[in-house]
Amino acid sequence: MIEIKKGPVPAFLKKYRKESIFEELSTADKDSLRTELLKEQGYICAYCMKRINDYKDTKIEHYQPRNSTNQLQYSNLMIVCRGNEGSPSHLATCDTKKQNATLYLDPQNSTHIETISYTPQGIIKSSDSRIDNDLNVHLNLNCYHGYLVTNRKVVLDEFKKHLYHEGKGGKDTIPYLLKSKDKFEKLNQEGKYTEYVGIILHYINKKLKSKGIS
């Protein structure tokens, strides 16, 4: 998981009243909202970091459960994957699993994101028990029967392979780590983050810290 940095409120949302309900959005504006949120998040799910290429294959997430004033509050809106929608509950992830639960974890809070780490096996965890509970119970991001843990491990192993080759012959890997950190922290030329980028950045930062670079 990476920090979500919200941009300005899209112009088309400003025409709605603060008290407007989500259902008042026109179909065209809902599609525009999905597109704007997808671009803002670099085409990955706010929770699991799965790649989302098509705005039609998304859910508009209300971080805080809907009330009379926050349904169209842009800071409360994120884009997420469908989270195995239609599957049994134990396979559901992200908003599909969360439903109307209130999370302590806030993807827009950098302090919360800093508590998150990953194991070499692809498990996501947090040093804060409340956030760890959200990751495992409310979002089900370590679903034993799912693909997220496996996919995160695959992405991490691929990066480790490149790092190994860079370090052959005793070559200093710090320049490669710094270059990679800069690369993965940014959107690519297509405006997208690397899928499951959080686990790669965690590993890079951990390696740099071991070499005395923060």
Side-chain angles (χ1 to χ4, degrees):
M1 193 175 294
I2 60 174
E3 179 186 358
I4 292 176
K5 298 178 181 179
K6 301 295 291 182
V9 178
F12 65 85
L13 268 188
K14 295 179 180 179
K15 66 186 177 186
Y16 294 94
R17 296 173 294 107
K18 180 180 179 181
E19 297 80 14
S20 295
I21 61 173
F22 187 71
E23 284 70 25
E24 290 180 27
L25 278 179
S26 66
T27 299
D29 283 344
K30 282 184 180 178
D31 288 346
S32 295
L33 179 57
R34 291 175 191 273
T35 300
E36 287 297 318
L37 291 171
L38 203 51
K39 289 179 180 178
E40 184 175 72
Q41 292 175 203
Y43 293 83
I44 59 175
C45 173
Y47 293 132
C48 73
M49 301 180 295
K50 174 186 175 182
R51 164 74 64 236
I52 306 174
N53 287 310
D54 189 344
Y55 77 88
K56 296 177 182 178
D57 192 29
T58 63
K59 298 176 71 174
I60 297 173
E61 159 75 326
H62 290 79
Y63 166 66
Q64 293 291 340
R66 299 189 204 185
N67 59 38
S68 60
T69 62
N70 74 0
Q71 296 197 32
L72 296 182
Q73 182 180 330
Y74 192 61
S75 60
N76 192 45
L77 301 175
M78 302 184 298
I79 207 75
V80 295
C81 68
R82 293 195 174 277
N84 295 327
E85 195 173 39
S87 299
S89 178
H90 70 280
L91 295 178
T93 66
C94 304
D95 178 61
T96 300
K97 180 68 174 181
K98 169 181 169 276
Q99 297 187 353
N100 291 320
T102 299
L103 298 180
Y104 175 78
L105 165 63
D106 181 359
Q108 297 179 52
N109 187 323
S110 60
T111 302
H112 287 194
I113 298 301
E114 288 169 4
T115 72
I116 293 177
S117 62
Y118 302 82
T119 70
Q121 291 73 39
I123 300 292
I124 184 172
K125 59 183 182 176
S126 173
S127 56
D128 187 309
S129 60
R130 296 164 295 184
I131 294 175
D132 200 62
N133 185 67
D134 283 340
L135 295 173
N136 286 288
V137 177
H138 293 133
L139 299 174
N140 200 25
L141 298 187
N142 290 317
C143 174
Y144 179 75
H145 300 283
Y147 55 85
L148 293 176
V149 174
T150 299
N151 287 359
R152 288 193 294 260
K153 184 179 185 302
V154 168
V155 167
L156 178 60
D157 287 347
E158 184 66 20
F159 178 77
K160 286 180 177 180
K161 187 189 302 181
H162 288 294
L163 182 63
Y164 171 77
H165 286 296
E166 284 293 323
K168 274 188 174 181
K171 182 180 176 181
D172 184 9
T173 57
I174 290 179
Y176 180 74
L177 286 168
L178 290 172
K179 181 180 179 181
S180 297
K181 177 180 170 68
D182 182 65
K183 169 189 172 183
F184 289 115
E185 285 181 339
K186 297 177 180 178
L187 302 174
N188 64 20
Q189 292 182 341
E190 296 180 332
K192 298 178 180 180
Y193 282 117
T194 296
E195 190 174 30
Y196 308 113
V197 64
I199 192 170
I200 302 175
L201 286 172
H202 171 261
Y203 180 78
I204 290 173
N205 289 329
K206 187 175 179 180
K207 294 293 287 187
L208 287 172
K209 186 175 181 180
S210 72
K211 297 175 182 292
I213 301 175
S214 58

